[in-house]
Amino acid sequence: MPVMNIIQAVNDALRIEMRRDQRVVVLGEDVGKFGGVFRATSGLFEEFGPDRVIDTPLAEAGIIGSAVGMALYGLRPVPEIQFADFIYPAYDQIVNELAKFRYRSGGQYPAPVVIRTPYGGGIRGGHYHSQSPEAYFVHTPGLKVVIPSNPYDAKGLLLSAMRGEDPVIFMEPKRVYRAARGEVPEGDYTVPLGQAKIVREGKGITVLAYGAMLHTVIEAAAKAAEAGIDAEVIDLRTLLPLDLETVLTSVRKTGRVCIVHEAPRTCGYGAELAALIAEKALTSLEAPIERVAGFDTPFPYTLENEYLPSPERVMASMRRAVEFQ
Amino acid sequence: MTTPSSQQRLRDMMLVRRFEERCAELYGAGKIRGFLHLYIGEEAVAAGLLPALGPADTVVATYREHGHALLRGVPARAVMAEMFGRVSGCSRGRGGSMHLFDAERRMYGGWAIVAGHLPVAVGLALADRTLGRPQVTACFFGDGAVAEGAFHEAMNLAALWQLPVLFVCENNLYAMGTALERYQAQPDLVLRARGYGVDAASVDGMDVEVVAAAARDAVERVRAGKPFLLECRTYRFRAHSMFDAELYRGSDEVARWKQRDPIALLAGRLRTRGQLDDAALAALEQDVAREVEDAVSFADASALEPIEELTRHVMAEVAP
């Protein structure tokens, strides 16, 4: 089985779907001749031509608005927003138009657009090349939000997303774009949206993460094991729809929870997870729910590594939860 | 499509006028709630433009779109029921006045985010071009939309990709309560369009025959594969919405524009030509009043959306 990184897996998924379905169209800034700023669309322009791999101006609202129109009328657009930080100029199109189209037309007009965007810190990108805006989109009814952590899931989840009937925000963890490598089957397969994956089984504490943070958590769990903490690590993979059953089953087993994400803490996705766990499994809890997150600041440049949850911070948090009497 | 007679255009405008006058009454009676933006005074634009389109063409409109929906062929019953928020409305009563959709008639709203629909119109046209359909997307917007960034992005994309979009600016001189010259550094919209490489024309939007002729020409150019902007200079006789003391314009200005009422203008012309008399006009009035009253009765008798439907159509329905 070939070994790929996440970029290659995304590229493979796009190519497979574009060959399979003539309606699939890629558009965005530098996705064509340039091959994408991270090379995720490399080679597609050469294979599928300028009508299906469309280089656009720097116009995020125009890109997403055009994609909405194309989706309303027979195409399957997969726009790329070059960095998740650049998604805000398209925020109106995503939140007011894309997400609500099916609903406000009384079900007459689905808008199956898959927006791919690299997100997250760890590349010294500073304020505007590092953000994790997933919570805004989870908060918007009508959107699905998917964040893979590894090449296998990236390919399988992206293929699922492109075959669905709903808009999807597909966020790619750029810090591990190349670092996360793994075996990826050739050809077609899908990973269904809405299924979390238990990455490491354990009995002492449930640790919830997604995207790049999963790798931090795995490192922390290995350290924790040496200290006698038996962590169960769950990769959520899809934030919406959330696989709440897998989360609750684990929490009922371990009684302790640590939630990790790199977005700011306040009203981050962890807040929703904590609320759901408190609502559905309070009596199983043996310690307060722990959250390890970015700080409530703009994304910093110099102090990036201090801002991002580290294995040490995650480890300390797990220890607090496990030692709580 | 067949070009409608001037009598038909007169009836079209009278239908829209009568429909909206009833809406204003029904608003006062509490039957229609929320926001209501009347098109009264501007009817010649929709009545001149829409018949120039074919059934496979696409219509995207603003929040002042009752007339566009009606003249696109959405039944008055379905539009009125939507105004009432009833489940038999053209969007199942979910959107009300500002969200009129009809997939069968290729009516894509109803947009209450000013200029939000302009990039979407570009995408609809891009889909046509990609799939080889010789169709036109007609996108209506007000002068206020021209100040939005989305206008700039949409014009650039449509021109860059040479897409079949007909941009129809219904310039009624006010972005709600702020006059054009108070918010636009360059109020000449034709000049602005040309700056993007989009051909454009400006016409008297109170004269339905002028709009119709310009629309035929514009649709022909667009169908040949180029965007076009048609500015229709028009005027809204009523307030912006139901809550507007109109402090930003004088009654003399309104009175002056009312002398160019598009319905009176066409009716007068038809009389001069000997194509309309009192009896024919009265018959038309009766006819549209009957259609509107039928729509009101239908809407009033329709059910509200049941509570079980609240969460429907957020996402695709998956078979269990």
Side-chain angles (χ1 to χ4, degrees):
Chain A
M1 206 182 293
V3 171
M4 292 186 189
N5 62 33
I6 293 179
I7 295 168
Q8 291 163 329
V10 165
N11 186 271
D12 198 29
L14 290 170
R15 189 183 310 274
I16 285 170
E17 200 58 8
M18 291 184 81
R19 283 179 183 166
R20 194 185 77 89
D21 186 345
Q22 295 295 312
R23 300 171 302 168
V24 176
V25 174
V26 165
L27 69 161
E29 295 157 8
D30 289 314
V31 298
K33 285 196 170 183
F34 192 101
V37 71
F38 290 102
R39 317 297 305 156
T41 54
S42 179
L44 300 181
F45 182 84
E46 290 75 10
E47 180 170 348
F48 300 103
D51 286 342
R52 295 185 64 201
V53 184
I54 304 170
D55 279 317
T56 68
L58 308 187
E60 289 78 12
I63 293 166
I64 302 302
S66 299
V68 173
M70 293 159 92
L72 291 175
Y73 201 19
L75 294 177
R76 291 279 178 154
V78 186
E80 175 181 297
I81 296 294
Q82 199 164 68
F83 285 84
D85 315 63
F86 306 169
I87 210 164
Y88 305 118
Y91 196 66
D92 172 56
Q93 284 296 332
I94 296 171
V95 171
N96 269 327
E97 315 309 353
L98 177 62
K100 297 176 179 40
F101 226 110
R102 179 190 291 277
Y103 195 84
R104 77 185 187 100
S105 66
Q108 293 181 81
Y109 290 123
V113 175
V114 178
I115 301 174
R116 292 182 40 252
T117 189
Y119 85 97
I123 64 160
R124 291 283 173 197
H127 304 313
Y128 295 148
H129 295 76
S130 307
Q131 298 173 52
S132 301
E134 65 270 19
Y136 298 120
F137 301 112
V138 176
H139 187 63
T140 302
L143 300 176
K144 292 180 174 173
V145 180
V146 178
I147 308 186
S149 67
N150 61 73
Y152 178 90
D153 286 346
K155 179 173 168 181
L157 289 167
L158 183 53
L159 282 166
S160 281
M162 290 189 287
R163 290 171 192 178
E165 297 301 321
D166 294 309
V168 177
I169 310 294
F170 192 89
M171 298 175 61
E172 299 168 4
K174 65 175 175 287
R175 179 162 69 89
V176 292
Y177 247 162
R178 291 187 176 81
R181 295 173 62 81
E183 291 193 334
V184 175
E186 289 183 79
D188 199 345
Y189 69 93
T190 57
V191 174
L193 307 191
Q195 286 187 13
K197 186 178 175 193
I198 298 170
V199 177
R200 182 188 193 284
E201 287 193 27
K203 296 189 179 65
I205 181 168
T206 300
V207 188
L208 305 174
Y210 48 88
M213 274 301 119
L214 190 82
H215 301 272
T216 302
V217 164
I218 287 170
E219 203 180 321
K223 282 193 210 302
E226 291 167 20
I229 298 171
D230 184 20
E232 177 145 298
V233 177
I234 298 179
D235 183 351
L236 295 176
R237 302 200 286 197
T238 310
L239 275 53
L240 200 139
L242 169 67
D243 181 358
L244 187 58
E245 241 356 272
T246 296
V247 171
L248 293 179
T249 302
S250 177
V251 171
R252 289 185 183 119
K253 178 174 71 176
T254 63
R256 296 165 204 270
V257 188
C258 173
I259 302 163
V260 185
H261 59 67
E262 58 181 278
R265 179 184 179 88
T266 301
C267 282
Y269 189 64
E272 180 63 25
L273 287 172
L276 285 167
I277 292 166
E279 283 169 7
K280 310 273 186 190
L282 185 70
T283 53
S284 300
L285 289 176
E286 292 168 44
I289 298 167
E290 284 281 329
R291 282 185 288 163
V292 187
F295 292 91
D296 288 339
T297 66
F299 196 97
Y301 177 53
T302 311
L303 296 174
E304 173 173 61
N305 290 331
E306 288 70 21
Y307 174 92
L308 289 170
S310 60
E312 291 71 28
R313 270 172 68 197
V314 175
M315 170 79 181
S317 164
M318 287 161 70
R319 193 186 289 280
R320 267 196 308 277
V322 169
E323 290 175 356
F324 184 85
Q325 298 284 332
Chain B
M1 84 229 74
T2 53
T3 306
S5 65
S6 291
Q7 282 84 351
Q8 180 61 42
R9 289 198 203 275
L10 183 64
R11 187 191 187 280
D12 285 350
M13 292 194 291
M14 289 170 66
L15 172 68
V16 175
R17 177 74 54 97
R18 181 68 197 143
F19 185 93
E20 291 203 316
E21 285 170 347
R22 278 297 273 144
C23 286
E25 291 168 19
L26 292 159
Y27 194 90
K31 291 284 186 185
I32 297 173
R33 313 290 294 271
F35 290 79
L36 178 64
H37 308 88
L38 301 177
Y39 195 54
I40 290 173
E42 305 185 34
E43 295 92 340
V45 180
L49 204 299
L50 285 163
L53 302 171
D57 293 332
T58 301
V59 177
V60 198
T62 70
Y63 55 85
R64 200 181 296 286
E65 88 290 25
H66 314 136
H68 306 74
L70 289 168
L71 301 187
R72 183 60 186 171
V74 184
R77 286 180 164 198
V79 179
M80 190 60 87
E82 188 62 35
M83 313 287 293
F84 276 55
R86 303 299 167 98
V87 75
S88 55
C90 59
S91 307
R92 301 184 60 80
R94 292 197 147 190
S97 161
M98 297 185 276
H99 304 271
L100 304 177
F101 290 89
D102 187 336
E104 196 187 323
R105 292 169 184 87
R106 305 206 43 70
M107 175 82 191
Y108 282 86
W111 291 70
I113 303 296
V114 172
H117 57 312
L118 272 65
V120 176
V122 167
L124 286 158
L126 184 52
D128 276 333
R129 216 220 16 219
T130 305
L131 298 173
R133 296 179 295 225
Q135 295 163 15
V136 168
T137 297
C139 177
F140 294 84
F141 54 98
D143 50 290
V146 174
E148 293 277 0
F151 171 80
H152 160 73
E153 295 192 19
M155 292 295 280
N156 184 48
L157 291 174
L160 184 69
W161 295 334
Q162 291 291 289
L163 296 176
V165 188
L166 175 55
F167 294 100
V168 184
C169 182
E170 308 182 295
N171 181 359
N172 67 15
L173 302 176
Y174 292 91
M176 206 163 102
T178 303
L180 182 64
E181 64 275 9
R182 292 184 60 223
Y183 70 82
Q184 269 308 349
Q186 174 49 273
D188 184 334
L189 301 183
V190 171
L191 202 57
R192 291 195 54 167
R194 289 190 182 138
Y196 293 105
V198 173
D199 288 337
S202 177
V203 297
D204 177 3
M206 304 305 271
D207 187 333
V208 70
E209 293 184 314
V210 168
V211 175
R216 271 195 302 275
D217 175 59
V219 168
E220 199 174 307
R221 285 159 175 261
V222 172
R223 210 177 295 283
K226 283 177 73 157
F228 192 83
L229 186 146
L230 183 64
E231 178 195 18
C232 300
R233 299 187 308 274
T234 183
Y235 199 79
R236 122 177 101 62
F237 293 168
R238 300 273 189 127
H240 164 75
S241 69
M242 303 313 278
F243 306 97
D244 169 10
E246 298 186 68
L247 301 174
Y248 50 86
R249 64 184 190 182
S251 54
D252 50 333
E253 179 184 301
V254 180
R256 208 163 52 243
W257 276 92
K258 279 186 175 171
Q259 287 170 9
R260 304 208 62 241
D261 184 315
I263 295 175
L265 195 68
L266 180 63
R269 193 178 291 155
L270 292 180
R271 279 177 195 275
T272 311
R273 291 182 198 151
Q275 293 170 342
L276 186 75
D277 57 20
D278 288 345
L281 187 61
L284 276 180
E285 271 165 3
Q286 254 181 12
D287 189 32
V288 299
R290 197 163 41 239
E291 186 173 343
V292 170
E293 290 319 307
D294 169 70
V296 174
S297 307
F298 173 81
D300 212 19
S302 294
L304 290 164
E305 189 174 36
I307 183 73
E308 298 75 38
E309 299 260 308
L310 175 67
T311 55
R312 269 192 81 192
H313 302 309
V314 177
M315 299 279 190
E317 283 169 7
V318 191

